[in-house]
Amino acid sequence: MRPVPTAPAGAPAPFDVERIRREFPILGQQVRGKPLVYLDNAATAQKPERVIDAEARFYREINANVHRGVHLLSERATQAYEDVREKVRRFLNAPSAKEVIFTRGTTESLNLVAQTFGRQRVGEGDEILVTEMEHHSNIVPWQMLAQERKARLVVAPVDDAGVLRLDELERRLGPRTRILAVTHVSNALGTVNPIARICELARARGVPVVVDGAQGVPHRPVDVRALGCDFYAFSAHKLYGPTGVGVLWGKREHLEAMPPWQGGGDMILSVTFEKTTFNELPYKLEAGTPNIAGVVAMGAAIDWLASIDLAGALAHEHDLLAYGTELLSRIPGIRLVGTAPEKEGVLSFLLGDVHPHDIGTVLDREGVAIRTGHHCAQPLMIRYAIPATARASLAIYNRRSELEALAAGLEKVRRMFA
Amino acid sequence: MSELDDLYQEVILDHGRRPRNFHALPGADRVAEGLNPLCGDHYKVFLRLEGDRIAEVAFEGSGCAISKASASLMTGAVKGKTVGEAERIFTAVHALITEGPDRADPAELGKLAVLSGVSAFPTRVKCASLAWHALKNALHADAQVASTE
């Protein structure tokens, strides 16, 4: 974990997991007669009261369309919406709020880059470089582009532990490489990729880097300037925010040069049947009425993270990862998939020859929610010659006792299927 | 018995661990595949018909305990049956796992009644029905891959 800057005077109270849990209404419930143990955070995180309230309050008190009305509510809605752009800028340490594009989520952000920036850059015989650990959302948009342009999708491999082979990646950065798309943190393995180093390698060859930050932002402070990437995409819902909203950050020079993606309202300056003049950034890339309440609630999530002892929270999460790794390693027959030295928040595993689906069903009856399957990373499953894994994934509100419940549930699985 | 024990009855666990008729069938005149892309369960069902009768049936592939046990039990249940009888069994099993024991014809089910626990687990219905859908396609000589997604 990168050190988090120490908070100034008037700093938030030191992190206390029990106090944080009380801010998440959903965590107090029982499922199947057992206390809910929510370990599916890489799929989506739960939301604190402040986020839920912010979305409801928007509809109760402010709701109006943005950038349109001359009336007071529209002014307030526009203000609330645009304030979040500045919050995201600060959150990512981006140079300008004009570089922050609101989207439906990481998937839409990546598709946007592929279909605008990508279409401009990639031609016949060119190459798009991705890694073997990408989520389908950072493979398929590039594959579609490659197909359309008669270009080639090139893949940088991972090693047995789930670490990206930087030497192999470097070898694949060739004269025809037009774009490198890479995940910050692997959703299936937990591996953290050395994005700053990767960007250096790519920059030396003039290759822009698109980073899938869906699993990055929930687990580590992100500074796009320090990373040196060209685009960074993330979703609000994995960051304790609402579903259906996310961000694409891009370097201004790229965004300026990109054509609009979707046509419609808000992205234009003037329209006649002969000619349309497109709006400036960021509106050029935001056609139609956006998810205004969602954006406002995403802002509340970012504010909430800024209001807690984040360094303490992330240290707690790292303690959980180490503790969970230790507990699982003690269970006979467990094979951890993804054992990179630098990991965030993911315990992907197999238990003997029990199918992950059966593991998931038994754990569910113990109140323990995990994900089973290929985690939208089928090429990675093929790499490890496995059909699926069981995955427990962490958030800052999890506690050690929940990992003990996971381990106890796995002992039950072992007894049943032995 | 808890719902979980009802799902993973000893017979199911046994068929999941040691599936019967679990092999390819050289000389099969009907083959159909079943695929659940969500969890990766993937089976091939082989049939050899003698006239209207299922003379031999076998399967191969991989998946969870429920899908494998259901496929294994299926091969035992439909062997020697006519196409029409196999279809009636399909209908009974489908009702059993989607709607519960009260909705299925016990006379058609026989040993397959051990699948009764599935209906309490909506997320596992697709697992239990996968090989059956492949069987149905095979009976109809339908070349399409059966998918439960």
Side-chain angles (χ1 to χ4, degrees):
Chain A
M1 190 184 81
R2 226 181 56 213
V4 179
T6 350
F15 180 77
D16 170 1
V17 68
E18 295 308 320
R19 206 180 54 235
I20 286 287
R21 288 181 71 82
R22 286 196 289 276
E23 297 191 45
F24 288 79
I26 205 170
L27 295 179
Q29 71 179 293
Q30 302 243 319
V31 293
R32 318 263 187 218
K34 306 264 171 69
L36 169 66
V37 174
Y38 187 76
L39 294 173
D40 195 16
N41 296 287
T44 195
Q46 301 301 347
K47 326 302 175 197
E49 200 98 58
R50 265 175 73 166
V51 168
I52 300 166
D53 285 352
E55 184 145 351
R57 198 171 341 109
F58 177 83
Y59 284 124
R60 285 212 177 88
E61 299 171 12
I62 310 177
N63 182 51
N65 214 328
V66 290
H67 310 138
R68 284 168 176 77
V70 293
H71 57 82
L72 182 65
L73 286 187
S74 178
E75 198 179 295
R76 284 184 180 155
T78 303
Q79 186 71 49
Y81 182 78
E82 290 302 325
D83 281 353
V84 179
R85 223 183 280 281
E86 172 57 22
K87 284 173 193 178
V88 172
R89 184 203 69 72
R90 253 182 287 143
F91 182 67
L92 296 176
N93 192 31
S96 164
K98 288 187 192 305
E99 299 171 332
V100 174
I101 313 298
F102 294 131
T103 65
R104 282 195 297 132
T106 309
T107 298
E108 188 174 76
S109 298
L110 295 170
N111 276 281
L112 193 163
V113 181
Q115 289 176 34
T116 54
F117 184 75
R119 275 198 181 133
Q120 280 181 325
R121 272 189 80 82
V122 177
E124 191 168 343
D126 285 341
E127 292 172 356
I128 303 163
L129 181 55
V130 298
T131 84
E132 208 169 18
M133 70 170 88
E134 298 309 311
H135 187 282
H136 293 166
S137 61
N138 207 22
I139 298 173
V140 182
W142 305 114
Q143 205 165 39
M144 288 163 64
L145 177 66
Q147 211 153 31
E148 178 190 303
R149 292 287 141 134
K150 299 192 173 67
R152 221 158 62 83
L153 193 69
V154 177
V155 183
V158 299
D159 69 13
D160 289 343
V163 178
L164 179 61
R165 293 277 308 269
L166 272 193
D167 52 338
E168 295 286 342
L169 177 109
E170 192 172 5
R171 273 198 317 151
R172 284 165 176 76
L173 280 165
R176 300 305 298 263
T177 311
R178 292 290 171 264
I179 292 171
L180 166 58
V182 58
T183 190
H184 195 172
V185 174
S186 158
N187 72 307
L189 304 170
T191 306
V192 179
N193 283 321
I195 297 297
R197 176 75 189 124
I198 289 168
C199 290
E200 261 176 57
L201 294 173
R203 198 160 46 241
R205 290 159 184 82
V207 175
V209 180
V210 181
V211 180
D212 168 358
Q215 304 290 346
V217 287
H219 301 295
R220 43 210 295 137
V222 170
D223 177 335
V224 289
R225 281 192 271 199
L227 290 176
C229 56
D230 294 83
F231 294 93
Y232 195 95
F234 72 88
S235 299
H237 74 98
K238 297 190 202 285
L239 189 70
Y240 311 104
T243 52
V245 60
V247 165
L248 173 68
W249 169 82
K251 279 185 178 161
R252 188 165 183 157
E253 70 214 65
H254 296 322
L255 297 174
E256 295 277 12
M258 277 153 57
W261 183 35
Q262 294 174 325
D266 231 27
M267 54 75 72
I268 48 86
L269 284 179
S270 70
V271 178
T272 67
F273 284 114
E274 288 69 42
K275 184 177 165 50
T276 292
T277 311
F278 300 122
N279 205 338
E280 58 185 20
L281 284 178
Y283 314 109
K284 177 176 92 175
L285 294 165
E286 291 179 8
T289 297
N291 182 352
I292 308 168
V295 166
V296 169
M298 170 166 69
I302 291 172
D303 285 344
W304 178 76
L305 283 168
S307 76
I308 65 168
D309 168 16
L310 190 59
L314 296 180
H316 165 73
E317 210 184 72
H318 276 245
D319 169 70
L320 292 176
L321 183 62
Y323 186 58
T325 305
E326 187 194 318
L327 285 182
L328 260 54
S329 306
R330 279 194 221 142
I331 299 170
I334 286 275
R335 171 184 160 200
L336 283 168
V337 181
T339 51
E342 202 168 355
K343 270 182 73 170
E344 295 287 1
V346 168
L347 291 159
S348 225
F349 60 91
L350 298 164
L351 175 52
D353 56 3
V354 184
H355 195 279
H357 220 139
D358 295 310
I359 298 175
T361 292
V362 177
L363 290 179
D364 173 56
R365 294 284 147 159
E366 299 296 310
V368 180
I370 62 157
R371 168 90 185 262
T372 63
H374 52 59
H375 316 297
C376 299
Q378 282 180 332
L380 195 62
M381 300 295 118
I382 293 167
R383 157 69 175 82
Y384 292 113
I386 51 181
T389 76
R391 179 190 72 185
S393 55
L394 304 169
I396 59 177
Y397 47 64
N398 286 126
R399 44 187 175 192
R400 280 182 160 227
S401 61
E402 294 182 304
L403 293 165
E404 289 157 8
L406 168 69
L410 290 173
E411 285 294 352
K412 183 170 179 178
V413 174
R414 225 165 60 81
R415 282 196 305 275
M416 278 182 70
F417 290 91
Chain B
M1 197 153 53
S2 78
E3 283 183 339
L4 194 65
D5 295 330
D6 206 21
L7 177 67
Y8 292 111
Q9 296 185 33
E10 202 38 61
V11 177
I12 300 273
L13 290 173
D14 179 53
H15 276 261
R17 273 191 287 262
R18 298 185 300 113
R20 324 294 198 262
N21 305 308
F22 190 54
H23 50 78
L25 192 62
D29 41 21
R30 299 279 175 84
V31 184
E33 278 181 81
L35 173 68
N36 184 338
L38 195 72
C39 58
D41 290 0
H42 191 188
Y43 294 101
K44 256 186 194 173
V45 173
F46 304 88
L47 297 180
R48 192 170 64 76
L49 296 174
E50 278 172 7
D52 189 37
R53 202 162 284 280
I54 300 169
E56 282 186 276
V57 50
F59 78 109
E60 62 175 10
S62 67
C64 62
I66 303 298
S67 62
K68 195 173 275 179
S70 182
S72 171
L73 288 158
M74 175 185 85
T75 58
V78 301
K79 190 174 177 182
K81 298 285 193 295
T82 65
V83 171
E85 286 165 346
E87 288 198 336
R88 280 202 298 281
I89 296 172
F90 172 95
T91 305
V93 168
H94 195 261
L96 177 72
I97 61 182
T98 55
E99 297 176 67
D102 305 340
R103 306 305 294 268
D105 181 352
E108 298 286 2
L109 286 174
K111 267 199 210 165
L112 296 167
V114 295
L115 290 167
S116 63
V118 174
S119 65
F121 293 78
T123 60
R124 306 306 299 274
V125 168
K126 289 168 183 167
C127 309
S129 62
L130 184 59
W132 290 88
H133 284 288
L135 170 74
K136 197 168 187 193
N137 285 356
L139 290 172
H140 292 260
D142 185 343
Q144 226 185 345
V145 176
S147 171
T148 51
E149 265 317 304

